[in-house]
Amino acid sequence: MNRPSRLASPVVELRQYTLKPGQRETLIALFDREFVETQEATGMTVIGQFRDLDRPDMFVWLRGFEDMEARKDALSAFYGGSVWAAHRDAANATMIDSDDVLLLKPAWPGAAFDLSGLLRPIDAEAETANDESRLSGFVEISIHHLQLGIEAGFAERFRAEAAPLLAANGARLLGAFISEHAENTFPRLPVRAAENVFVIVTGFDDVDVHAGHQAALAASPAWQAAHETMTAVSTKPVERLRLTPTSRSLLR
């Protein structure tokens, strides 16, 4: 087992890759075998890797950095190194698009991912995991697109009004983030710089628990009122990603 740093998300990338049909398992096998420890050796943290339940050709993952300068150094080291050079052709051969990336920072003090106590299976352990354990856990990422300049107030209102309702109805709030508008320190990898978002990451024991959570929220007048308030200041519908972790994902 490998133990990550306790707090790995002062800066986070949320990355959504559109893959060629039938290539997701190929990329996951390559990623979990070759790109976890080798990225973390440069100073970043691979926080979570996921299958999207609603989009069979989508691979979603998160990685964290101590700050924007550390991000530049870590990405320069990894993408300029021998491991990426050896495997980039195989990885890129699975992909249609890898540029859907949001650059994020914690929405309030304490909203970052806390990875203390989490252990990542080494690759050999992951390979021997059965299907049930491999697919255990469920993560939902909700992306709220906001008018510019209201994200701090939106986050505080969510923290005060919506977060307790999520917890009361079976969700674990794993992290909450807003857009990081600092200059992209590694322009070789583009980010959606024009976006202004509030991102919620919640965890559940499994898909059935998540379904029960959704039903409970739908029946809650307090949640409906909070949801209407959030929708009123959004610029487009909420994006909801229903995700199952790979066997080596820390978040689940």
Side-chain angles (χ1 to χ4, degrees):
M1 294 280 187
N2 294 330
R3 187 182 299 276
S5 61
R6 189 177 76 86
L7 294 176
S9 50
V11 175
V12 166
E13 292 177 355
L14 169 57
R15 310 184 67 86
Q16 300 185 60
Y17 290 0
T18 303
L19 306 180
K20 296 175 183 177
Q23 289 299 299
R24 185 162 68 183
E25 295 308 313
T26 300
L27 179 60
I28 287 173
L30 176 63
F31 189 103
D32 280 359
R33 185 180 68 247
E34 302 292 349
F35 296 152
V36 176
E37 284 79 7
T38 53
Q39 288 189 85
E40 294 189 332
T42 69
M44 64 183 98
T45 301
V46 177
I47 298 167
Q49 311 95 270
F50 307 97
R51 299 169 176 87
D52 189 311
L53 284 182
D54 301 307
R55 299 175 294 175
D57 298 318
M58 187 69 65
F59 174 64
V60 179
W61 65 293
L62 297 149
R63 62 183 170 190
F65 309 85
E66 290 300 323
D67 53 40
M68 292 298 290
E69 191 63 26
R71 175 178 178 269
K72 175 185 177 181
D73 293 343
L75 295 180
S76 297
F78 179 74
Y79 290 104
S82 60
V83 173
W84 180 244
H87 299 288
R88 64 187 175 194
D89 290 346
N92 289 334
T94 68
M95 301 178 194
I96 294 174
D97 176 70
S98 61
D99 292 345
D100 187 346
V101 181
L102 291 172
L103 192 60
L104 307 169
K105 62 184 178 182
W108 59 78
F113 295 123
D114 184 350
L115 305 179
S116 58
L118 300 183
L119 296 174
R120 189 197 320 276
I122 63 174
D123 195 42
E125 292 171 327
E127 288 177 353
T128 59
N130 60 38
D131 287 346
E132 183 178 354
S133 65
R134 182 172 64 88
L135 296 175
S136 65
F138 184 94
V139 171
E140 180 181 84
I141 298 179
S142 300
I143 305 170
H144 297 257
H145 298 266
L146 304 178
Q147 302 164 13
L148 188 63
I150 70 165
E151 57 270 24
F154 186 99
E156 281 306 313
R157 188 159 190 175
F158 172 89
R159 183 183 184 185
E161 299 178 10
L165 296 173
L166 293 178
N169 288 281
R172 302 187 307 273
L173 182 61
L174 302 176
F177 300 87
I178 57 176
S179 293
E180 170 59 82
H181 291 298
E183 181 182 357
N184 183 2
T185 51
F186 194 75
R188 176 177 163 186
L189 296 183
V191 300
R192 290 160 56 184
E195 300 286 349
N196 193 52
V197 299
F198 174 68
V199 175
I200 309 158
V201 185
T202 48
F204 304 86
D205 290 342
D206 55 41
V207 66
D208 292 332
V209 173
H210 175 259
H213 163 80
Q214 291 294 95
L217 290 183
S220 167
W223 174 257
Q224 292 306 315
H227 182 264
E228 289 176 7
T229 299
M230 292 188 289
T231 300
V233 294
S234 298
T235 59
K236 64 175 75 171
V238 178
E239 293 180 61
R240 297 194 187 280
L241 313 183
R242 300 191 317 128
L243 309 171
T244 56
T246 75
S247 58
R248 304 203 68 215
S249 175
L250 284 173
L251 287 192
R252 56 183 58 244

